[in-house]
Structures are given as C-alpha cells and as structure tokens.
Amino acid sequence: MTGAISQPEGSITGGCQCGAVRYRLDGQVVKTYICHCRECQKQSASAFGISVRVHGADVIITQGQVKTWQRPTDSGRVLACHFCPECGSRLFHGDLAGDDPVSIKGGSLDVMPDLSGVDHIWVARKVRGIAIPAEARTHFGEPDDETA
Ligand SMILES: [Zn+2]
Ligand SMILES: [Zn+2]
C-alpha cells in the first residue's frame, strides 16, 4: 500500500511548526507522492516536497486559521497555497472547499507517512545525491493533476 498511514480514520492529525494551526483528516489518503519539482524545492526550502493527496472536504482545521498565497501553474490555473500566518509553515495546497484533491504537505503530519513505496514525480528536477528506492515508481514530470 503506497503512502499508507496506519492510523484509523479521524485520528490522522497535523499542524504547523509553531502549533498555532492544527488540523485533522476525516477521510482516507488518496495517494502520497514525493515531488522533486522546483516549486516544491522552493516551497519547502529543501530537496523535495511530500504531497499527501486527500479530499479537501476531509481536511478539518481544528485550531487557528491559515493564510493563503496563490501561484500560477504551468497550465494557467491558479494553485492556492495555505500556510500558518505565525510561523509560515506550508500546510495545504489546493482548494479546501472544492472537489479536486488537496495536498497536505507531508512533513506537517504528526506521524510521518511511510514513504518507502510512494511514487516519485518530477524526477527530471531531482537534486543530485538524492537516491530514489529501486522499487519506487517514477514520473518524469506531473502524473495527472497539479496539486502537488
Ligand atoms: Zn505556525
Ligand atoms: Zn512539486
């Protein structure tokens, strides 16, 4: 099971670095990706991003409020990026009120997901020296949608 989080539904929780914003997931994880695109590198200020795709309606903010910044995507759409206004931790990408998948930024989860079998996307932009497990599926660019 790729990207499996072995916790019962409703008990998957997370929050920002300072603790001002807390959230709970009231549903299943659809899919988890590691994304090596340049936007994820900039966003995380690190080598890659962890995108835990869920249904936006399943994300329940239980404490605090997020601020939202928007950026254009390659195909001319707009991606909403939600973050803690106090510490700046990025928490979610996508329209929390819409029907499209939303990405929880994986490092914000209280219990990190098992990443050993997840797909790696945008490997064309992978930083040299970062190793991808031999069993992982890889995508040169974007696999299907743009909420990574
Ligand atoms: Zn915070
Ligand atoms: Zn990305």
Side-chain angles (χ1 to χ4, degrees), residues 35-124:
C35 182
H36 299 271
C37 85
R38 193 72 187 106
E39 294 289 348
C40 283
Q41 291 164 351
K42 279 287 188 183
Q43 175 269 305
S44 65
S46 189
F48 55 81
I50 303 169
S51 295
V52 178
R53 304 257 173 117
V54 300
H55 298 291
D58 292 341
V59 177
I60 312 296
I61 295 175
T62 54
Q63 180 182 301
Q65 284 188 322
V66 292
K67 266 194 167 180
T68 302
W69 170 74
Q70 298 193 325
R71 71 168 173 85
T73 66
D74 286 344
S75 67
R77 293 166 62 199
V78 170
L79 179 65
C81 305
H82 309 281
F83 61 95
C84 171
E86 301 298 326
C87 70
S89 297
R90 194 71 66 80
L91 296 170
F92 318 113
H93 283 179
D95 180 2
L96 293 171
D99 293 328
D100 291 334
V102 163
S103 288
I104 293 175
K105 306 316 287 179
S108 71
L109 292 164
D110 291 336
V111 177
M112 290 293 282
D114 179 355
L115 299 175
S116 51
V118 304
D119 289 16
H120 286 244
I121 67 175
W122 282 107
V123 296

